[in-house]
mmCIF file of all heavy atoms in Angstrom:
data_model
loop_
_atom_site.group_PDB
_atom_site.id
_atom_site.type_symbol
_atom_site.label_atom_id
_atom_site.label_comp_id
_atom_site.label_asym_id
_atom_site.label_seq_id
_atom_site.Cartn_x
_atom_site.Cartn_y
_atom_site.Cartn_z
ATOM 1 N N PRO R 1 0.824 -1.211 0.000
ATOM 2 C CA PRO R 1 0.000 0.000 0.000
ATOM 3 C C PRO R 1 0.858 1.260 0.000
ATOM 4 O O PRO R 1 2.019 1.242 0.409
ATOM 5 C CB PRO R 1 -0.785 -0.124 1.316
ATOM 6 C CG PRO R 1 0.125 -0.909 2.207
ATOM 7 C CD PRO R 1 0.828 -1.894 1.303
ATOM 8 N N ALA R 2 0.257 2.340 -0.473
ATOM 9 C CA ALA R 2 0.921 3.639 -0.410
ATOM 10 C C ALA R 2 0.797 4.215 0.995
ATOM 11 O O ALA R 2 -0.201 3.993 1.681
ATOM 12 C CB ALA R 2 0.312 4.587 -1.426
ATOM 13 N N VAL R 3 1.805 4.934 1.423
ATOM 14 C CA VAL R 3 1.807 5.634 2.705
ATOM 15 C C VAL R 3 1.901 7.124 2.389
ATOM 16 O O VAL R 3 2.947 7.584 1.907
ATOM 17 C CB VAL R 3 2.986 5.192 3.590
ATOM 18 C CG1 VAL R 3 2.967 5.932 4.912
ATOM 19 C CG2 VAL R 3 2.952 3.683 3.802
ATOM 20 N N PRO R 4 0.829 7.900 2.617
ATOM 21 C CA PRO R 4 0.798 9.280 2.130
ATOM 22 C C PRO R 4 2.016 10.121 2.498
ATOM 23 O O PRO R 4 2.504 10.902 1.678
ATOM 24 C CB PRO R 4 -0.481 9.834 2.760
ATOM 25 C CG PRO R 4 -1.366 8.642 2.886
ATOM 26 C CD PRO R 4 -0.446 7.502 3.223
ATOM 27 N N ALA R 5 2.537 9.989 3.691
ATOM 28 C CA ALA R 5 3.647 10.842 4.114
ATOM 29 C C ALA R 5 4.896 10.638 3.271
ATOM 30 O O ALA R 5 5.697 11.550 3.107
ATOM 31 C CB ALA R 5 3.967 10.585 5.580
ATOM 32 N N ILE R 6 5.069 9.434 2.733
ATOM 33 C CA ILE R 6 6.271 9.151 1.948
ATOM 34 C C ILE R 6 5.960 8.809 0.494
ATOM 35 O O ILE R 6 6.882 8.647 -0.307
ATOM 36 C CB ILE R 6 7.091 8.008 2.584
ATOM 37 C CG1 ILE R 6 6.285 6.709 2.632
ATOM 38 C CG2 ILE R 6 7.558 8.394 3.979
ATOM 39 C CD1 ILE R 6 7.081 5.511 3.131
ATOM 40 N N SER R 7 4.684 8.710 0.152
ATOM 41 C CA SER R 7 4.302 8.251 -1.192
ATOM 42 C C SER R 7 3.753 9.358 -2.081
ATOM 43 O O SER R 7 3.372 9.088 -3.221
ATOM 44 C CB SER R 7 3.250 7.135 -1.084
ATOM 45 O OG SER R 7 3.766 6.030 -0.392
ATOM 46 N N ASP R 8 3.700 10.588 -1.574
ATOM 47 C CA ASP R 8 3.153 11.705 -2.343
ATOM 48 C C ASP R 8 4.219 12.777 -2.527
ATOM 49 O O ASP R 8 5.075 12.975 -1.660
ATOM 50 C CB ASP R 8 1.946 12.312 -1.637
ATOM 51 C CG ASP R 8 0.810 11.308 -1.467
ATOM 52 O OD1 ASP R 8 0.834 10.264 -2.152
ATOM 53 O OD2 ASP R 8 -0.083 11.565 -0.643
ATOM 54 N N SER R 9 4.137 13.488 -3.654
ATOM 55 C CA SER R 9 5.109 14.542 -3.915
ATOM 56 C C SER R 9 4.593 15.450 -5.016
ATOM 57 O O SER R 9 3.901 14.999 -5.933
ATOM 58 C CB SER R 9 6.456 13.932 -4.345
ATOM 59 O OG SER R 9 7.449 14.920 -4.505
ATOM 60 N N TYR R 10 4.910 16.735 -4.909
ATOM 61 C CA TYR R 10 4.815 17.604 -6.068
ATOM 62 C C TYR R 10 6.073 17.386 -6.907
ATOM 63 O O TYR R 10 7.140 17.075 -6.365
ATOM 64 C CB TYR R 10 4.734 19.074 -5.651
ATOM 65 C CG TYR R 10 3.486 19.425 -4.883
ATOM 66 C CD1 TYR R 10 3.558 19.891 -3.575
ATOM 67 C CD2 TYR R 10 2.227 19.313 -5.468
ATOM 68 C CE1 TYR R 10 2.420 20.222 -2.867
ATOM 69 C CE2 TYR R 10 1.081 19.644 -4.765
ATOM 70 C CZ TYR R 10 1.183 20.095 -3.463
ATOM 71 O OH TYR R 10 0.050 20.408 -2.763
ATOM 72 N N GLU R 11 5.940 17.554 -8.222
ATOM 73 C CA GLU R 11 7.104 17.356 -9.076
ATOM 74 C C GLU R 11 7.049 18.334 -10.256
ATOM 75 O O GLU R 11 5.977 18.705 -10.723
ATOM 76 C CB GLU R 11 7.173 15.914 -9.581
ATOM 77 C CG GLU R 11 8.455 15.610 -10.331
ATOM 78 C CD GLU R 11 8.747 14.116 -10.446
ATOM 79 O OE1 GLU R 11 8.567 13.385 -9.452
ATOM 80 O OE2 GLU R 11 9.150 13.700 -11.540
ATOM 81 N N LEU R 12 8.226 18.745 -10.695
ATOM 82 C CA LEU R 12 8.354 19.685 -11.803
ATOM 83 C C LEU R 12 9.519 19.221 -12.677
ATOM 84 O O LEU R 12 10.660 19.207 -12.229
ATOM 85 C CB LEU R 12 8.617 21.096 -11.274
ATOM 86 C CG LEU R 12 8.873 22.195 -12.294
ATOM 87 C CD1 LEU R 12 7.619 22.470 -13.106
ATOM 88 C CD2 LEU R 12 9.330 23.467 -11.602
ATOM 89 N N ASN R 13 9.220 18.815 -13.900
ATOM 90 C CA ASN R 13 10.232 18.262 -14.794
ATOM 91 C C ASN R 13 10.589 19.246 -15.892
ATOM 92 O O ASN R 13 9.712 19.938 -16.424
ATOM 93 C CB ASN R 13 9.735 16.978 -15.454
ATOM 94 C CG ASN R 13 9.419 15.894 -14.442
ATOM 95 O OD1 ASN R 13 9.904 15.922 -13.323
ATOM 96 N ND2 ASN R 13 8.585 14.938 -14.834
ATOM 97 N N VAL R 14 11.855 19.254 -16.266
ATOM 98 C CA VAL R 14 12.312 19.904 -17.488
ATOM 99 C C VAL R 14 12.865 18.793 -18.370
ATOM 100 O O VAL R 14 13.759 18.048 -17.946
ATOM 101 C CB VAL R 14 13.393 20.967 -17.215
ATOM 102 C CG1 VAL R 14 13.816 21.627 -18.529
ATOM 103 C CG2 VAL R 14 12.879 22.017 -16.236
ATOM 104 N N ARG R 15 12.333 18.657 -19.569
ATOM 105 C CA ARG R 15 12.645 17.486 -20.373
ATOM 106 C C ARG R 15 12.766 17.848 -21.843
ATOM 107 O O ARG R 15 12.226 18.872 -22.291
ATOM 108 C CB ARG R 15 11.563 16.426 -20.202
ATOM 109 C CG ARG R 15 10.208 16.842 -20.758
ATOM 110 C CD ARG R 15 9.110 15.905 -20.333
ATOM 111 N NE ARG R 15 8.218 15.578 -21.450
ATOM 112 C CZ ARG R 15 7.253 14.693 -21.402
ATOM 113 N NH1 ARG R 15 7.036 14.004 -20.282
ATOM 114 N NH2 ARG R 15 6.490 14.437 -22.446
ATOM 115 N N THR R 16 13.459 16.992 -22.573
ATOM 116 C CA THR R 16 13.484 17.092 -24.018
ATOM 117 C C THR R 16 13.276 15.705 -24.597
ATOM 118 O O THR R 16 13.110 14.725 -23.856
ATOM 119 C CB THR R 16 14.776 17.750 -24.522
ATOM 120 O OG1 THR R 16 14.632 18.034 -25.926
ATOM 121 C CG2 THR R 16 15.997 16.868 -24.299
ATOM 122 N N TYR R 17 13.278 15.614 -25.914
ATOM 123 C CA TYR R 17 12.826 14.406 -26.605
ATOM 124 C C TYR R 17 13.976 13.826 -27.420
ATOM 125 O O TYR R 17 14.658 14.544 -28.161
ATOM 126 C CB TYR R 17 11.609 14.753 -27.474
ATOM 127 C CG TYR R 17 10.551 15.376 -26.608
ATOM 128 C CD1 TYR R 17 10.480 16.762 -26.456
ATOM 129 C CD2 TYR R 17 9.703 14.589 -25.851
ATOM 130 C CE1 TYR R 17 9.555 17.343 -25.606
ATOM 131 C CE2 TYR R 17 8.769 15.157 -24.995
ATOM 132 C CZ TYR R 17 8.707 16.531 -24.873
ATOM 133 O OH TYR R 17 7.805 17.099 -24.002
ATOM 134 N N VAL R 18 14.186 12.530 -27.253
ATOM 135 C CA VAL R 18 15.345 11.861 -27.821
ATOM 136 C C VAL R 18 14.924 10.508 -28.385
ATOM 137 O O VAL R 18 13.810 10.040 -28.151
ATOM 138 C CB VAL R 18 16.446 11.657 -26.751
ATOM 139 C CG1 VAL R 18 16.967 12.993 -26.228
ATOM 140 C CG2 VAL R 18 15.932 10.788 -25.592
ATOM 141 N N HIS R 19 15.856 9.883 -29.124
ATOM 142 C CA HIS R 19 15.656 8.477 -29.476
ATOM 143 C C HIS R 19 17.017 7.808 -29.556
ATOM 144 O O HIS R 19 18.053 8.444 -29.765
ATOM 145 C CB HIS R 19 14.839 8.304 -30.757
ATOM 146 C CG HIS R 19 15.406 8.948 -31.981
ATOM 147 N ND1 HIS R 19 16.274 8.299 -32.837
ATOM 148 C CD2 HIS R 19 15.220 10.175 -32.520
ATOM 149 C CE1 HIS R 19 16.585 9.098 -33.844
ATOM 150 N NE2 HIS R 19 15.967 10.249 -33.677
ATOM 151 N N TYR R 20 16.967 6.496 -29.356
ATOM 152 C CA TYR R 20 18.170 5.672 -29.417
ATOM 153 C C TYR R 20 17.856 4.427 -30.222
ATOM 154 O O TYR R 20 16.953 3.667 -29.856
ATOM 155 C CB TYR R 20 18.631 5.289 -28.006
ATOM 156 C CG TYR R 20 19.859 4.401 -27.991
ATOM 157 C CD1 TYR R 20 21.133 4.940 -28.172
ATOM 158 C CD2 TYR R 20 19.748 3.029 -27.825
ATOM 159 C CE1 TYR R 20 22.259 4.131 -28.171
ATOM 160 C CE2 TYR R 20 20.866 2.208 -27.821
ATOM 161 C CZ TYR R 20 22.119 2.772 -28.001
ATOM 162 O OH TYR R 20 23.236 1.958 -28.004
ATOM 163 N N GLU R 21 18.538 4.255 -31.331
ATOM 164 C CA GLU R 21 18.320 3.113 -32.220
ATOM 165 C C GLU R 21 16.834 2.926 -32.539
ATOM 166 O O GLU R 21 16.299 1.817 -32.518
ATOM 167 C CB GLU R 21 18.929 1.842 -31.630
ATOM 168 C CG GLU R 21 20.461 1.924 -31.519
ATOM 169 C CD GLU R 21 21.098 0.643 -31.047
ATOM 170 O OE1 GLU R 21 20.361 -0.245 -30.569
ATOM 171 O OE2 GLU R 21 22.329 0.531 -31.143
ATOM 172 N N GLY R 22 16.167 4.029 -32.797
ATOM 173 C CA GLY R 22 14.774 3.994 -33.224
ATOM 174 C C GLY R 22 13.747 3.950 -32.120
ATOM 175 O O GLY R 22 12.547 3.916 -32.401
ATOM 176 N N VAL R 23 14.184 3.951 -30.863
ATOM 177 C CA VAL R 23 13.242 3.907 -29.734
ATOM 178 C C VAL R 23 13.123 5.301 -29.129
ATOM 179 O O VAL R 23 14.069 5.807 -28.513
ATOM 180 C CB VAL R 23 13.696 2.901 -28.659
ATOM 181 C CG1 VAL R 23 12.686 2.858 -27.524
ATOM 182 C CG2 VAL R 23 13.882 1.520 -29.277
ATOM 183 N N PRO R 24 11.969 5.963 -29.278
ATOM 184 C CA PRO R 24 11.813 7.325 -28.768
ATOM 185 C C PRO R 24 11.579 7.343 -27.264
ATOM 186 O O PRO R 24 10.983 6.428 -26.695
ATOM 187 C CB PRO R 24 10.586 7.839 -29.527
ATOM 188 C CG PRO R 24 9.762 6.601 -29.764
ATOM 189 C CD PRO R 24 10.751 5.484 -29.974
ATOM 190 N N GLY R 25 12.042 8.404 -26.641
ATOM 191 C CA GLY R 25 11.850 8.541 -25.202
ATOM 192 C C GLY R 25 12.123 9.957 -24.754
ATOM 193 O O GLY R 25 12.111 10.905 -25.555
ATOM 194 N N ILE R 26 12.363 10.077 -23.456
ATOM 195 C CA ILE R 26 12.556 11.374 -22.809
ATOM 196 C C ILE R 26 13.945 11.418 -22.194
ATOM 197 O O ILE R 26 14.420 10.424 -21.626
ATOM 198 C CB ILE R 26 11.493 11.601 -21.721
ATOM 199 C CG1 ILE R 26 10.099 11.743 -22.335
ATOM 200 C CG2 ILE R 26 11.809 12.823 -20.865
ATOM 201 C CD1 ILE R 26 8.980 11.693 -21.319
ATOM 202 N N TRP R 27 14.570 12.588 -22.300
ATOM 203 C CA TRP R 27 15.778 12.873 -21.529
ATOM 204 C C TRP R 27 15.434 14.001 -20.566
ATOM 205 O O TRP R 27 15.016 15.077 -20.980
ATOM 206 C CB TRP R 27 16.944 13.283 -22.436
ATOM 207 C CG TRP R 27 18.176 13.603 -21.641
ATOM 208 C CD1 TRP R 27 18.626 14.844 -21.279
ATOM 209 C CD2 TRP R 27 19.098 12.666 -21.071
ATOM 210 N NE1 TRP R 27 19.764 14.743 -20.537
ATOM 211 C CE2 TRP R 27 20.084 13.420 -20.394
ATOM 212 C CE3 TRP R 27 19.191 11.273 -21.080
ATOM 213 C CZ2 TRP R 27 21.152 12.810 -19.727
ATOM 214 C CZ3 TRP R 27 20.245 10.671 -20.419
ATOM 215 C CH2 TRP R 27 21.204 11.438 -19.750
ATOM 216 N N PHE R 28 15.565 13.735 -19.274
ATOM 217 C CA PHE R 28 15.259 14.739 -18.268
ATOM 218 C C PHE R 28 16.477 15.612 -17.999
ATOM 219 O O PHE R 28 17.548 15.108 -17.631
ATOM 220 C CB PHE R 28 14.817 14.072 -16.959
ATOM 221 C CG PHE R 28 13.451 13.447 -17.025
ATOM 222 C CD1 PHE R 28 13.305 12.067 -17.081
ATOM 223 C CD2 PHE R 28 12.320 14.239 -17.040
ATOM 224 C CE1 PHE R 28 12.048 11.486 -17.132
ATOM 225 C CE2 PHE R 28 11.056 13.663 -17.098
ATOM 226 C CZ PHE R 28 10.920 12.292 -17.152
ATOM 227 N N LEU R 29 16.296 16.919 -18.150
ATOM 228 C CA LEU R 29 17.344 17.863 -17.782
ATOM 229 C C LEU R 29 17.348 18.081 -16.278
ATOM 230 O O LEU R 29 18.407 18.236 -15.666
ATOM 231 C CB LEU R 29 17.143 19.189 -18.511
ATOM 232 C CG LEU R 29 17.098 19.098 -20.045
ATOM 233 C CD1 LEU R 29 16.900 20.482 -20.636
ATOM 234 C CD2 LEU R 29 18.359 18.449 -20.597
ATOM 235 N N SER R 30 16.168 18.094 -15.680
ATOM 236 C CA SER R 30 16.068 18.181 -14.222
ATOM 237 C C SER R 30 14.682 17.737 -13.799
ATOM 238 O O SER R 30 13.720 17.790 -14.572
ATOM 239 C CB SER R 30 16.328 19.608 -13.718
ATOM 240 O OG SER R 30 15.384 20.526 -14.249
ATOM 241 N N LEU R 31 14.600 17.284 -12.533
ATOM 242 C CA LEU R 31 13.335 16.899 -11.921
ATOM 243 C C LEU R 31 13.363 17.438 -10.495
ATOM 244 O O LEU R 31 14.169 17.003 -9.672
ATOM 245 C CB LEU R 31 13.146 15.375 -11.898
ATOM 246 C CG LEU R 31 13.321 14.628 -13.225
ATOM 247 C CD1 LEU R 31 14.749 14.084 -13.335
ATOM 248 C CD2 LEU R 31 12.334 13.481 -13.343
ATOM 249 N N ASP R 32 12.523 18.416 -10.223
ATOM 250 C CA ASP R 32 12.425 18.969 -8.876
ATOM 251 C C ASP R 32 11.253 18.317 -8.164
ATOM 252 O O ASP R 32 10.202 18.093 -8.769
ATOM 253 C CB ASP R 32 12.228 20.473 -8.931
ATOM 254 C CG ASP R 32 13.493 21.215 -9.349
ATOM 255 O OD1 ASP R 32 14.276 20.663 -10.139
ATOM 256 O OD2 ASP R 32 13.693 22.337 -8.879
ATOM 257 N N ALA R 33 11.420 18.010 -6.883
ATOM 258 C CA ALA R 33 10.361 17.336 -6.124
ATOM 259 C C ALA R 33 10.340 17.851 -4.701
ATOM 260 O O ALA R 33 11.378 18.239 -4.137
ATOM 261 C CB ALA R 33 10.559 15.822 -6.144
ATOM 262 N N SER R 34 9.145 17.820 -4.122
ATOM 263 C CA SER R 34 8.983 18.321 -2.757
ATOM 264 C C SER R 34 9.271 17.269 -1.703
ATOM 265 O O SER R 34 9.521 17.607 -0.542
ATOM 266 C CB SER R 34 7.550 18.841 -2.571
ATOM 267 O OG SER R 34 6.609 17.786 -2.765
ATOM 268 N N ASN R 35 9.228 15.994 -2.078
ATOM 269 C CA ASN R 35 9.429 14.913 -1.119
ATOM 270 C C ASN R 35 10.901 14.514 -1.124
ATOM 271 O O ASN R 35 11.398 13.959 -2.103
ATOM 272 C CB ASN R 35 8.554 13.717 -1.501
ATOM 273 C CG ASN R 35 8.574 12.616 -0.455
ATOM 274 O OD1 ASN R 35 9.588 12.369 0.170
ATOM 275 N ND2 ASN R 35 7.446 11.945 -0.292
ATOM 276 N N PRO R 36 11.632 14.764 -0.026
ATOM 277 C CA PRO R 36 13.067 14.454 -0.028
ATOM 278 C C PRO R 36 13.363 12.972 -0.203
ATOM 279 O O PRO R 36 14.396 12.612 -0.770
ATOM 280 C CB PRO R 36 13.555 14.976 1.329
ATOM 281 C CG PRO R 36 12.330 15.112 2.169
ATOM 282 C CD PRO R 36 11.210 15.403 1.240
ATOM 283 N N LEU R 37 12.461 12.100 0.258
ATOM 284 C CA LEU R 37 12.683 10.668 0.065
ATOM 285 C C LEU R 37 12.584 10.288 -1.406
ATOM 286 O O LEU R 37 13.342 9.433 -1.895
ATOM 287 C CB LEU R 37 11.680 9.866 0.893
ATOM 288 C CG LEU R 37 11.844 9.946 2.412
ATOM 289 C CD1 LEU R 37 10.731 9.167 3.095
ATOM 290 C CD2 LEU R 37 13.201 9.414 2.832
ATOM 291 N N ALA R 38 11.663 10.912 -2.120
ATOM 292 C CA ALA R 38 11.550 10.658 -3.552
ATOM 293 C C ALA R 38 12.805 11.108 -4.283
ATOM 294 O O ALA R 38 13.281 10.439 -5.208
ATOM 295 C CB ALA R 38 10.321 11.381 -4.115
ATOM 296 N N VAL R 39 13.366 12.231 -3.871
ATOM 297 C CA VAL R 39 14.592 12.743 -4.483
ATOM 298 C C VAL R 39 15.738 11.763 -4.285
ATOM 299 O O VAL R 39 16.430 11.371 -5.235
ATOM 300 C CB VAL R 39 14.949 14.124 -3.905
ATOM 301 C CG1 VAL R 39 16.339 14.559 -4.363
ATOM 302 C CG2 VAL R 39 13.897 15.156 -4.303
ATOM 303 N N VAL R 40 15.936 11.344 -3.054
ATOM 304 C CA VAL R 40 17.044 10.434 -2.749
ATOM 305 C C VAL R 40 16.865 9.097 -3.458
ATOM 306 O O VAL R 40 17.797 8.546 -4.061
ATOM 307 C CB VAL R 40 17.165 10.238 -1.228
ATOM 308 C CG1 VAL R 40 18.172 9.141 -0.897
ATOM 309 C CG2 VAL R 40 17.575 11.541 -0.552
ATOM 310 N N GLY R 41 15.648 8.556 -3.417
ATOM 311 C CA GLY R 41 15.395 7.256 -4.018
ATOM 312 C C GLY R 41 15.583 7.261 -5.523
ATOM 313 O O GLY R 41 16.196 6.354 -6.091
ATOM 314 N N ALA R 42 15.077 8.282 -6.191
ATOM 315 C CA ALA R 42 15.181 8.333 -7.648
ATOM 316 C C ALA R 42 16.614 8.571 -8.102
ATOM 317 O O ALA R 42 17.052 8.031 -9.117
ATOM 318 C CB ALA R 42 14.266 9.421 -8.199
#
């Protein structure tokens, strides 16, 4: 189960768009988050 105190966060991403050998995806320039545990874990 989720535990609200550690399982919730605001997040703000800065990203651009890339591909590798034909597979498209995202490259994150930065990810800001309000939950310090989420920051450390990620």
Side-chain angles (χ1 to χ4, degrees):
V3 180
I6 62 175
S7 299
D8 299 344
S9 185
Y10 295 118
E11 187 161 317
L12 176 67
N13 299 339
V14 181
R15 66 191 224 173
T16 190
Y17 304 93
V18 297
H19 58 90
Y20 179 79
E21 295 185 347
V23 181
I26 293 169
W27 179 261
F28 288 106
L29 303 180
S30 61
L31 308 96
D32 288 32
S34 61
N35 187 324
L37 292 177
V39 171
V40 172

